[in-house]
Each structure stands twice: as C-alpha cells, then as structure tokens.
Amino acid sequence: MRKKTIASFLCIALSLTTLLGCTSSNSVSKGNEYVDETSTSVVADSSVSTEATSDDSSATPETSTTDSSTEASSVDTASSDASSSSEDELVVVYLGDSQMDNGREDNTDIPSYVQQILGGTHYNLGVGGSVATNKAGTDYSQDSNLFGFLSIWDGRYTVDECLLPTYAAYDIIQNVNLEDVDVFVLAYGINDFLSKCPRAYDYDTTNYATYKGGLTYGINKLRMLCPNAVIVVCSPTYCYFYDVVGIKNSDGNMADLGYGPLAEYASTCEQTAKEKDCMYLDTYYGTTFDLSVYTYDKYTTDGIHLNNTGRQIYATVLSRYINLALGTAEGEWTYPFTIANFEFNPDIQ
C-alpha cells in the first residue's frame, strides 16, 4: 500500500538527519485522497507531517448524470496532481453481488479486468444473490451479505460463521489486511429489489432493514474500519426481466415488487453516495455506457447478468472512477461507451 513506501522513506530520512546532526523542516504528505464526483474540490484524508494540512482545493473532474433513462453524453477531465510512486501497490476490495462474482472462474470477472487496467492487488468478495440490506434490522449479521463481511471485520463473527467454504470469498477475505486497502467498491441493489427489501423509510432513512439504511451503515462502518480508504459506490445495473418471481416481460423502469421499481433503487443509491461524499458510478441510466431497453440483449446473458463484453465495459469505466476517486486520473474521457464499437483495452489511459 502507498503508506508503506512513505513510512520507509521517513525512516531513511530520520536516519540521515541523525547522522548529519541537523534538523530538516520538510514534511512528507500522503497523497491518498478521495473525490466526490459532484464537487469541485479534492479532500486530503491524511498526511505524514508534524502539522495539520489544509484541504486541497484543486479542481477535480465533473461527470454529469441524469435522472431518467434517456442516454446522455458527458466528458470528464482530470490531472495527476496526487503524489504517488511506481513502487506503491494499489489495493482494491470489491463487495457486491453476482455482477462482481460472475466470471471469476476464468478471470473474466469485473475485478480481474480492473486489475488488468490498474495493476495492483484486487480482492473480489462478490457473492451471488447477496444484498446490502439487513433484513433483521440490526447492525450485525451472520451471513454472506454486506453486513456479514462487516461483522467479520468488526470481530463479531468468524469467517466460518458467515461464509461457506465453497464460496470463493471464503478464502479471499482471509488474505485482506484492512490497513493496506486503498479503495472499497460497493455494488449492491438488484437482489435488494428482487428480494423485496424496502428501498427506504421516509421517517427513518438509516434503518438497517432498508436498502438505503444498509448502504449508509456499510459506508459508515468501512470508514471506521479503514479511514484512509476511498469508497466507490456503484448503482444496480439496468435490467430487463423476462420471467422472475412476480415479474414477466418488464424492465427496471416499470416492474414494482412493493417498494418502487429498480430505477428508484438506483436513484436511492446515488442519493446515498452523494450524502456520504462517496464517488458514485451510474450503471443504470446510460450515462457511462449505453445499457438500456434497446441494448440489454447485447450486454447481458439473461436481461440481468452482464456477459463478458458487458463486464469489460463496466470494468473500464470503474477503473476510471477509481482513478478519479484517488485523484490519479489523467486526460479526458467522453461518455457513454457504446456496445456496438467497444473493444477492451487494458492500456487505456
């Protein structure tokens, strides 16, 4: 992780200072920053210095989003002002459902593609069928959902008490050192909708038994456990439902299982991410890639789960947003990507 390189540098500098018998007035700042995509400022999380540093108010890229299913084009710009070293290794942890889990058997999962683009170490803790909501309405859980992973890291339960050994995440989570994590990616919502989990309660927006409350708790807990890591929150993807329980031949804009259509879950996800000052990645409204009622058969295997090309497009955009969150993005990108002419390029800048 980046802070290890800095720690080594400080130790060497201290030794040289002692030998020379003089004192240096220079301090070394840690360039681990996170960006709210809707803001125009970069907030420094921490620094290695004897004095508190002020917020970095340099301009950051803006990405436009829409509130409807109408496709939109947007442009982001970025500069590589954040300090970094080629010796530093990026560490990313992914928490999500089958959209993250699928493809891992042949390294065609989204985290594997992101790793090809960004390098570093990537821990895929995606579990098919998992949700962000805690149906019991408590602040801990003994299962493979978001709250289960948080319970493991919080010391409430062991890995064996929450995960089956047959899950890929069972072995992977045991290799995660929270002190090394630079980025958490949260990608939940489709199963919260399909499982009829309440989207949000107007009178209690932090209730754990709702999708909004679960996301809010998850973000808060991750920041407590790993305060220097940035968080990228991804919306549920657009879906067309051929035939699932309670829905037949309808899409995420229309089908309602009791707490609003999937589109409203996506909007709730965006609202929560912005309220918590997280980087937000829209994968529902077509602002970053053109998944919609017109293209879902090209993006998915069944109207819900992304196919290989769909995962490549998702990973390409997610890589960009991770760089934006870290303040390491370079150049200018124009959205949305289109499925008709997309070719995966691990060397994309």
Side-chain angles (χ1 to χ4, degrees):
M1 185 179 175
R2 293 166 171 73
K3 62 187 177 185
K4 293 180 180 177
T5 301
I6 296 172
S8 300
F9 174 79
L10 289 177
C11 290
I12 295 171
L14 180 60
S15 298
L16 291 174
T17 301
T18 303
L19 290 173
L20 295 174
C22 62
T23 301
S24 172
S25 61
N26 295 332
S27 61
V28 180
S29 298
K30 179 178 183 298
N32 184 13
E33 303 165 333
Y34 76 88
V35 184
D36 173 8
E37 69 164 359
T38 62
S39 71
T40 56
S41 63
V42 179
V43 183
D45 284 325
S46 63
S47 62
V48 181
S49 173
T50 56
E51 298 180 358
T53 59
S54 60
D55 289 346
D56 180 0
S57 59
S58 60
T60 63
E62 296 182 355
T63 302
S64 62
T65 59
T66 62
D67 293 329
S68 69
S69 59
T70 302
E71 295 179 6
S73 296
S74 61
V75 177
D76 72 25
T77 57
S79 61
S80 55
D81 293 335
S83 60
S84 62
S85 169
S86 60
E87 297 179 0
D88 297 341
E89 182 175 86
L90 175 68
V91 177
V92 184
V93 173
Y94 301 80
L95 295 159
D97 51 36
S98 57
Q99 297 292 34
M100 291 296 160
D101 191 30
N102 287 352
R104 67 164 75 240
E105 65 281 353
D106 59 357
N107 296 320
T108 65
D109 54 309
I110 290 170
S112 290
Y113 283 128
V114 175
Q115 185 175 29
Q116 289 185 43
I117 297 171
L118 298 180
T121 301
H122 297 246
Y123 297 102
N124 184 358
L125 301 181
V127 177
S130 59
V131 299
T133 309
N134 188 323
K135 298 177 183 179
T138 62
D139 63 347
Y140 61 92
S141 183
Q142 191 174 346
D143 55 32
S144 60
N145 295 316
L146 172 60
F147 276 71
F149 288 103
L150 298 174
S151 294
I152 293 170
W153 284 325
D154 206 22
R156 296 176 185 263
Y157 293 113
T158 66
V159 175
D160 286 296
E161 289 175 311
C162 293
L163 302 175
L164 296 174
T166 54
Y167 293 159
Y170 176 89
D171 293 318
I172 294 172
I173 192 174
Q174 299 184 63
N175 295 317
V176 175
N177 182 351
L178 291 180
E179 293 183 355
D180 292 339
V181 179
D182 296 299
V183 183
F184 287 102
V185 175
L186 294 179
Y188 293 97
I190 296 175
N191 293 305
D192 296 84
F193 166 74
L194 293 176
S195 298
K196 301 180 182 180
C197 297
R199 181 179 54 81
Y201 293 142
D202 292 337
Y203 59 87
D204 185 4
T205 58
T206 62
N207 191 309
Y208 306 143
T210 68
Y211 175 58
K212 181 178 177 62
L215 281 178
T216 300
Y217 177 84
I219 293 167
N220 290 340
K221 178 59 70 172
L222 289 175
R223 284 184 171 156
M224 289 178 60
L225 294 169
C226 199
N228 291 324
V230 302
I231 300 174
V232 179
V233 179
C234 306
S235 73
T237 57
Y238 170 86
C239 293
Y240 187 91
F241 306 108
Y242 291 109
D243 190 5
V244 299
V245 178
I247 309 173
K248 190 170 184 178
N249 295 326
S250 186
D251 74 348
N253 296 323
M254 300 296 295
D256 187 342
L257 294 175
Y259 298 98
L262 181 61
E264 292 187 10
Y265 282 72
S267 296
T268 295
C269 182
E270 177 180 14
Q271 179 187 34
T272 304
K274 290 182 176 180
E275 288 174 355
K276 303 305 297 181
D277 293 324
C278 295
M279 177 63 73
Y280 173 72
L281 172 57
D282 167 44
T283 65
Y284 187 91
Y285 286 114
T287 59
T288 56
F289 49 81
D290 66 339
L291 173 59
S292 71
V293 68
Y294 304 106
T295 60
Y296 70 87
D297 57 332
K298 305 295 191 302
Y299 270 96
T300 70
T301 60
D302 56 3
I304 299 175
H305 299 94
L306 295 172
N307 58 26
N308 186 45
T309 304
R311 294 194 295 271
Q312 289 176 337
I313 294 180
Y314 190 122
T316 298
V317 176
L318 177 56
S319 298
R320 177 65 174 187
Y321 274 68
I322 289 173
N323 274 332
L324 288 171
L326 291 171
T328 56
E330 298 180 356
E332 180 179 289
W333 283 29
T334 301
Y335 307 101
F337 287 108
T338 59
I339 192 73
N341 56 22
F342 176 81
E343 292 185 7
F344 181 64
N345 177 15
D347 297 322
I348 191 169
Q349 296 295 324

